[in-house]
Amino acid sequence: MMKHNIKHLPVLANGKMNGMVTLRKLTDFRGNLVLEMVKEIDDADNIERLALQHKSVASFIERMLNEGATPHEICSLTTEFNDRILRRIIELSEQSMVKNEYGAPPTDYCWITMGSEGRKEQTLSTDQDNGIIYPHIDDEEQHRQADRYFAVLAEKIVSGLEQCGFPRCKGDVMATNPKWRKSLSDWKRMMNAWFSHMQGEEIRMFTIFLDFRPVYGRMELAQELRQYFLTKKKEFPFIYNLLAEDDAMSSVPLGMFGRIVYDKKVGDGIDIKGGALVHFVNTMRLLAIFEGLEAVSTIERLHQLTMHQVFTKEEEEEVLDSFNTLLYFRIRENMNQYKQSLPLSNDLHVPGLSKEEQIRLKKALNTAKWLQQKLMRQFQVRGIRI
């Protein structure tokens, strides 16, 4: 409802209106905080005010944790707030371009988010992964002028996001990088290049891209790019094996007899993202691509895959429970780090977990291992020990 600015929703019974649900009623259980935050974000007339709202989002996440909200609820609302902050930053950046005599955008464009942001799985430690798609421009000089404009605009937006607490991507997967700021035809050419030559770091960039989601502007551009991918991938069946191999290169931190194997970089724990959550994300992404599904979030992909009988209902519930367990630990750890003004990381220190939580963690890691083995069997990944 917030996403589409809907304030009232009719309740129907036998085709007749039987009542009305309001956005206020839906959010009463958390007071008026949601409505107030939405209004503050939408009314913000500068980046500084938006930065204050990002801090409010952190406080809201803590409140939801304390109230027992599910990780999916927390991620969904966090994404909704962050999307609103992003859209307001873009609007303010466009206004700044006009004031500074760059003018309005020379053509339509679409701002996309990728990675965990694209999957709507944002937590406090999420950095930026974004890009710009604009229509094909035949005239070369007009094309260059358009890209120069979007280069300046992208820097304003990325800088605004940084001021609001979203770190720049260390891998430079941002619209400020020409690689992630292209015309639709150039995006298609880059996709063809990926298909033709994909290895190492290119595979990682490809997987980040595959989770793209339009957030602002002409959404049809992103939709056309998605359809192009789903059509083109049929010509390159080897990508499934490559992506499955890439997942197998990262082992689940479980040793003999189900013992949790500590990551040397963490010391007394594991990298909950790189060692555990990544396998849920990779599996659902790869299987969704194989089935030709358009869903982007891990949970939506899981639901659709179950509907396509890739998973049984019991398997879906098991995967969902394990995924939520890992997300919960990650969100809680990030919140503790944030409150102590520590750098946000994906480190999960196992001795700090209760005995019951350690059992839940082992169960989730076993599910991750099962998913990884499923990929290896289905896409015939051989010679890699996991």
Side-chain angles (χ1 to χ4, degrees), residues 110-371:
C110 179
W111 184 274
I112 59 172
T113 62
M114 298 175 280
S116 60
E117 190 177 358
R119 294 191 306 273
K120 302 181 181 180
E121 293 161 12
Q122 292 175 299
T123 64
L124 284 172
S125 65
T126 301
D127 61 1
Q128 296 186 46
D129 290 309
N130 48 56
I132 287 178
I133 310 171
Y134 54 88
H136 174 73
I137 301 172
D138 286 318
D139 184 272
E140 289 188 15
E141 179 56 30
Q142 289 180 2
H143 189 176
R144 283 193 291 269
Q145 289 176 0
D147 192 65
R148 283 197 291 267
Y149 179 94
F150 288 122
V152 177
L153 178 64
E155 178 55 42
K156 287 182 178 293
I157 296 169
V158 167
S159 177
L161 285 166
E162 187 176 25
Q163 291 177 61
C164 288
F166 302 95
R168 294 185 183 234
C169 174
K170 294 178 181 177
D172 204 19
V173 183
M174 297 178 293
T176 47
N177 182 345
K179 183 176 182 178
W180 304 101
R181 183 186 69 247
K182 298 177 182 290
S183 69
L184 180 59
S185 54
D186 285 339
W187 275 99
K188 291 177 179 178
R189 273 190 281 272
M190 184 167 76
M191 192 181 297
N192 290 334
W194 268 326
F195 281 133
S196 301
H197 181 76
M198 194 188 306
Q199 59 184 11
E201 190 62 22
E202 290 173 333
I203 295 178
R204 307 294 164 82
M205 296 299 102
F206 186 60
T207 57
I208 292 172
F209 160 76
L210 289 175
D211 295 337
F212 75 87
R213 175 174 61 89
V215 177
Y216 181 91
R218 187 174 160 188
M219 307 297 189
E220 294 85 355
L221 291 166
Q223 292 164 2
E224 184 176 339
L225 186 59
R226 176 75 63 189
Q227 287 304 313
Y228 182 82
F229 164 74
L230 290 173
T231 301
K232 198 71 178 176
K233 58 104 178 177
K234 297 173 185 176
E235 301 174 20
F236 300 92
F238 66 86
I239 65 168
Y240 306 119
N241 180 267
L242 286 175
L243 294 176
E245 281 184 352
D246 182 65
D247 182 76
M249 295 300 291
S250 173
S251 60
V252 178
L254 278 178
M256 295 288 290
F257 311 112
R259 181 178 61 85
I260 297 175
V261 178
Y262 290 170
D263 188 318
K264 292 180 181 178
K265 295 179 181 178
V266 180
D268 60 351
I270 65 170
D271 176 346
I272 197 166
K273 180 182 178 182
L277 281 167
V278 67
H279 301 297
F280 291 81
V281 172
N282 287 345
T283 300
M284 299 311 143
R285 180 196 298 115
L286 180 47
L287 293 176
I289 293 169
F290 185 74
E291 294 292 328
L293 305 177
E294 294 188 34
V296 175
S297 85
T298 301
I299 290 178
E300 287 173 357
R301 283 168 169 164
L302 173 62
H303 290 331
Q304 289 191 16
L305 288 166
T306 302
M307 290 174 63
H308 280 70
Q309 299 182 329
V310 176
F311 294 102
T312 66
K313 191 63 182 173
E314 291 74 18
E315 288 171 341
E316 178 190 16
E317 291 173 358
E318 178 72 24
V319 172
L320 185 60
D321 179 66
S322 294
F323 184 65
N324 274 323
T325 293
L326 295 170
L327 266 184
Y328 171 77
F329 287 146
R330 186 187 185 201
I331 293 169
R332 190 179 68 179
E333 287 300 303
N334 281 173
M335 183 53 63
N336 289 336
Q337 292 162 355
Y338 178 82
K339 288 165 64 178
Q340 297 176 55
S341 299
L342 297 172
L344 299 182
S345 73
N346 294 297
D347 296 352
L348 178 65
H349 298 280
V350 177
L353 302 177
S354 67
K355 188 168 291 186
E356 180 187 351
E357 288 176 335
Q358 290 186 34
I359 293 172
R360 288 170 56 199
L361 176 60
K362 287 182 181 180
K363 178 174 175 287
L365 293 176
N366 272 302
T367 305
K369 192 156 193 170
W370 175 75
L371 289 173

Side-chain angles (χ1 to χ4, degrees), residues 10-78:
V11 179
L12 302 179
N14 299 320
K16 295 182 179 180
M17 192 170 79
N18 199 34
M20 186 73 70
V21 175
T22 66
L23 178 59
R24 184 176 296 276
K25 286 181 181 178
L26 286 179
T27 55
D28 269 349
F29 75 105
R30 300 194 198 285
N32 293 323
L33 183 58
V34 173
L35 290 172
E36 291 171 2
M37 289 173 64
V38 167
K39 188 176 187 307
E40 286 292 331
I41 292 169
D42 292 347
D43 290 347
D45 55 5
N46 56 57
I47 300 298
E48 289 72 22
R49 283 186 62 185
L50 282 174
L52 293 175
Q53 290 311 305
H54 181 69
K55 293 179 180 179
S56 298
V57 172
S59 299
F60 187 75
I61 292 173
E62 182 179 19
R63 178 171 175 175
M64 291 185 75
L65 269 176
N66 293 336
E67 290 177 357
T70 66
H72 179 60
E73 280 184 303
I74 294 172
C75 286
S76 294
L77 272 174
T78 301

